[in-house]
Amino acid sequence: MTWQEELASLVGDTGITYSADAAVAEEEERDAGDTGGRVLGKGYFRVYEDGAGPEESLKEQVTGFVVATGEMLRDLGRGFWDVAQQSLERVGETYVGKKVRGHWDAVLRRLEFMNEYLPEDRDPVHAWPIVITVFLLALLVLRVNNGNETSVEAPKKLYVSPPSASRIQLLDGRYMAYQEKGVLAERARFFMIAPHAFLSSRLAGIPGIKESLLEEFGVRLITYDLPGFGESDPHPVRNLNSSAMDMLHLANALGVTDKFWVVGYSGGAMHAWAAVHYIPDRLAGAAMFAPMSNPYDSSLNKEEIHKTWDEWTMKRRLMYVLARRFPSLLPYFYRRSFLSGECGQPEKWLSLSLGKKDKSLLEEPVFREFWEKDAGESVRQGDAKPFVEEALLQVSNWGFCLADLQVQNQHQGKGLLPWLKSLYGRVEHEQAGFLGPIHVWQGMDDHVVPPSMTKFIRRMIPGATVHRLLGEGHFSYFCFCDDCHRQIFSTLFGNPRGPLSTKLEVDRSPSEQHMEDIASHDCTEQE
């Protein structure tokens, strides 16, 4: 009797029917499980080595990973949405929420008429975000298509010409690049030295000045690159004193034995003021065009400070604040603008707000050519350090005040008695500082260096002669204006007399000629 028959008899005794085929299938499945296999069919199964499960393909693994990641992100998004909803429910109870909610409800009431264009079965709260999103995507697609159909002009690059400047070696071993225009040194009646402004170089000088005008007045114009600009070597630790000394060494090296005029234009006037203070005995005079002064000068009163800052652009104020408080951030802004290698607009790079007349000058091809060449020469070395140093000099302690340039010292001794005598009697006075002429040209509506700054200069230097320009700014007066240049030279030098005819001819100023005429007249009367 087999075991199947015995099992059937037992089942029969209990009243439970049991199929022999089912028992066989169960036994086969149990045996297959014990051997680590799986039944493939009746009486067939596959055994996996070492009890390992079935191997999944790479496609199945990637699909499972993507599905699991999607489920996690979905749950995470639902969590964020629940948190946002709970947070927004409480915002309406705050003070700010109540104020904003009133304005928001007013705006929604005004825009309710747009809901009429939606289908009746659409909720505006859900429909409008979809409409706006689709609209933005359509604009993006149109912009991409337009960009493919039309060619976009690439930004113009600054051109840096090969090195070609004349250079001299200074006492400390540095080399300074310079440029000369006008008559020869031995025939010059007047010498002019012009330090350049912030984003400029020796190529600027007096932009657009003609050689014929320099010849007519007998002028030799000398310009040079500040340390680190153009082809001049950087200075390890420069200040305004070293700037004046560089100018003095340049004049001596180029054979300027007589006194010379210094020209200060915009930011370059800072170096001209330094020459007036540190080497006054070598200067014949100073010509300033919208000259800058230290915006943090302690001599500025509150009214002058407020007017000066109000007349500047927001970007210009930001640059001054960064130079004063956070100079380490300046290289970032410089590298994104003029040190990027691209050719940009002067008013944007220098943070200028120009009038109509000045803007029209910037559109002239002759000025654009000059500007691109001058700016490219300025950034030749590609280093932000000299520009940061120049910005720091503008807002740091200059070492002198403009009021120190022209002062009067009273030789009355010390003590109470000499002081009382000075109040009730005549006391001998002796002028000290710079005694030469200082001419200042300023536009009526100038935003490069605002008129309030020029008023401050006039208050500090009462002897300065201020020329108010009828135009909107000094920019179009100083650059590429033949008539303006002639007016400037006539103001400084009088009538044109041309260059010296011989080396023995001595140039005399009008005051010296006047004194000589008086002396000869006295001698004639005595005879």
Side-chain angles (χ1 to χ4, degrees):
M1 185 176 182
T2 62
W3 65 272
Q4 290 92 346
E5 295 175 353
E6 293 179 358
L7 178 62
S9 63
L10 291 175
V11 171
D13 296 338
T14 57
I16 300 175
T17 61
Y18 188 83
S19 175
D21 294 337
V24 173
E26 182 179 355
E27 182 178 2
E28 291 178 352
E29 185 176 356
R30 181 176 63 255
D31 294 341
D34 294 340
T35 58
R38 191 181 69 167
V39 177
L40 299 178
K42 182 176 181 181
Y44 299 94
F45 61 92
R46 184 173 62 192
V47 180
Y48 299 103
E49 296 180 358
D50 299 330
E55 295 183 358
E56 294 183 356
S57 63
L58 178 62
K59 182 178 180 181
E60 294 175 345
Q61 294 178 6
V62 172
T63 303
F65 176 78
V66 172
V67 171
T69 304
E71 293 177 353
M72 292 175 59
L73 293 177
R74 182 189 60 187
D75 295 339
L76 182 63
R78 289 177 178 176
F80 281 142
W81 177 252
D82 294 338
V83 173
Q85 283 185 328
Q86 295 176 5
S87 302
L88 292 176
E89 290 177 358
R90 299 179 181 178
V91 169
E93 302 176 358
T94 62
Y95 175 79
V96 177
K98 293 178 180 178
K99 290 292 184 180
V100 174
R101 185 175 182 179
H103 298 287
W104 178 252
D105 293 340
V107 172
L108 292 180
R109 285 194 297 270
R110 291 178 177 272
L111 297 178
E112 283 182 353
F113 71 95
M114 299 183 65
N115 295 334
E116 299 176 359
Y117 300 95
L118 295 176
E120 297 181 357
D121 57 342
R122 297 295 180 182
D123 185 5
V125 177
H126 298 88
W128 281 117
I130 297 175
V131 172
I132 295 174
T133 302
V134 173
F135 177 73
L136 294 177
L137 290 175
L139 288 180
L140 181 61
V141 172
L142 291 175
R143 183 176 180 181
V144 172
N145 291 335
N146 291 335
N148 294 332
E149 294 174 0
T150 59
S151 59
V152 179
E153 184 179 357
K156 189 174 182 179
K157 298 294 183 181
L158 281 175
Y159 173 72
V160 181
S161 60
S164 60
S166 302
R167 302 206 304 172
I168 63 167
Q169 188 173 15
L170 302 175
L171 298 179
D172 57 1
R174 291 181 295 113
Y175 283 90
M176 173 183 287
Y178 68 94
Q179 179 177 274
E180 295 180 282
K181 288 185 178 181
V183 301
L184 298 177
E186 57 269 16
R187 299 189 60 200
R189 289 185 181 274
F190 307 100
F191 291 90
M192 302 180 73
I193 298 182
H196 60 78
F198 182 76
L199 185 59
S200 188
S201 69
R202 68 183 185 282
L203 303 180
I206 303 176
I209 189 73
K210 290 187 175 181
E211 290 281 351
S212 58
L213 186 64
L214 297 172
E215 181 78 18
E216 184 179 351
F217 281 85
V219 176
R220 186 164 187 80
L221 176 62
I222 302 173
T223 58
Y224 63 97
D225 289 330
L226 293 173
F229 291 77
E231 297 185 40
S232 290
D233 294 340
H235 193 290
V237 184
R238 68 185 180 109
N239 52 35
L240 291 183
N241 187 8
S242 66
S243 179
M245 294 301 106
D246 286 351
M247 192 184 303
L248 177 62
H249 297 327
L250 175 66
N252 295 335
L254 297 182
V256 182
T257 56
D258 298 333
K259 293 184 176 182
F260 59 87
W261 285 78
V262 63
V263 180
Y265 166 66
S266 187
M270 174 176 60
H271 304 281
W273 291 129
V276 173
H277 177 71
Y278 290 109
I279 53 173
D281 55 329
R282 290 301 312 274
L283 300 186
M288 304 291 188
F289 298 88
M292 76 155 297
S293 181
N294 191 341
Y296 295 96
D297 195 312
S298 58
S299 301
L300 285 167
N301 55 43
K302 293 183 179 180
E303 181 181 0
E304 292 168 339
I305 293 175
H306 289 306
K307 285 186 176 180
T308 299
W309 285 89
D310 291 341
E311 292 168 344
W312 276 331
T313 62
M314 181 62 68
K315 186 176 180 180
R316 194 174 183 87
R317 298 179 210 169
L318 175 62
M319 290 296 104
Y320 277 118
V321 172
L322 290 179
R324 180 77 172 184
R325 304 295 182 185
F326 310 99
S328 59
L329 298 179
L330 289 178
Y332 169 77
F333 291 95
Y334 294 163
R335 293 191 183 98
R336 289 177 58 88
S337 55
F338 51 82
L339 289 177
S340 63
E342 298 180 357
C343 185
Q345 298 293 333
E347 64 272 23
K348 293 182 179 180
W349 279 1
L350 298 176
S351 306
L352 306 179
S353 177
L354 303 176
K356 294 181 180 179
K357 191 173 182 180
D358 290 344
K359 286 183 178 179
S360 63
L361 173 64
L362 268 61
E363 298 174 356
E364 295 291 335
V366 62
F367 180 84
R368 295 296 305 179
E369 181 181 357
F370 155 76
W371 162 256
E372 293 173 5
K373 189 175 181 180
D374 184 38
E377 182 64 24
S378 178
V379 301
R380 169 183 291 275
Q381 302 184 30
D383 189 6
K385 183 179 179 182
F387 294 95
V388 175
E389 292 174 347
E390 191 72 6
L392 290 179
L393 285 177
Q394 293 179 357
V395 299
S396 60
N397 184 8
W398 286 7
F400 61 90
C401 178
L402 294 183
D404 301 335
L405 302 181
Q406 276 190 338
V407 296
Q408 288 186 341
N409 294 333
Q410 296 182 350
H411 291 270
Q412 57 192 27
K414 297 181 180 180
L416 180 60
L417 183 59
W419 179 73
L420 292 175
K421 289 182 178 180
S422 66
L423 294 178
Y424 298 100
R426 298 183 60 184
V427 182
E428 181 183 1
H429 292 72
E430 180 182 354
Q431 289 187 340
F434 182 65
L435 307 180
I438 297 178
H439 293 270
V440 179
W441 279 266
Q442 175 66 49
M444 298 294 290
D445 187 19
D446 208 329
H447 296 282
V448 180
V449 176
S452 56
M453 188 64 72
T454 304
K455 292 181 180 179
F456 166 68
I457 295 173
R458 190 171 185 176
R459 179 170 67 86
M460 292 291 99
I461 311 175
T465 303
V466 178
H467 307 273
R468 302 306 300 272
L469 306 179
L470 298 179
E472 295 177 332
H474 76 278
F475 205 74
S476 55
Y477 184 85
F478 184 69
C479 305
F480 295 93
C481 180
D482 297 338
D483 294 337
C484 304
H485 294 163
R486 178 173 292 277
Q487 293 176 10
I488 294 170
F489 278 23
S490 299
T491 302
L492 299 179
F493 310 129
N495 295 327
R497 292 181 290 168
L500 297 177
S501 58
T502 62
K503 296 181 181 180
L504 299 178
E505 183 178 349
V506 179
D507 180 36
R508 294 171 295 183
S509 63
S511 58
E512 293 176 347
Q513 182 67 37
H514 182 64
M515 294 298 295
E516 183 178 343
D517 294 340
I518 295 176
S520 61
H521 180 69
D522 293 341
C523 293
T524 304
E525 289 183 350
Q526 291 178 1
E527 293 177 355

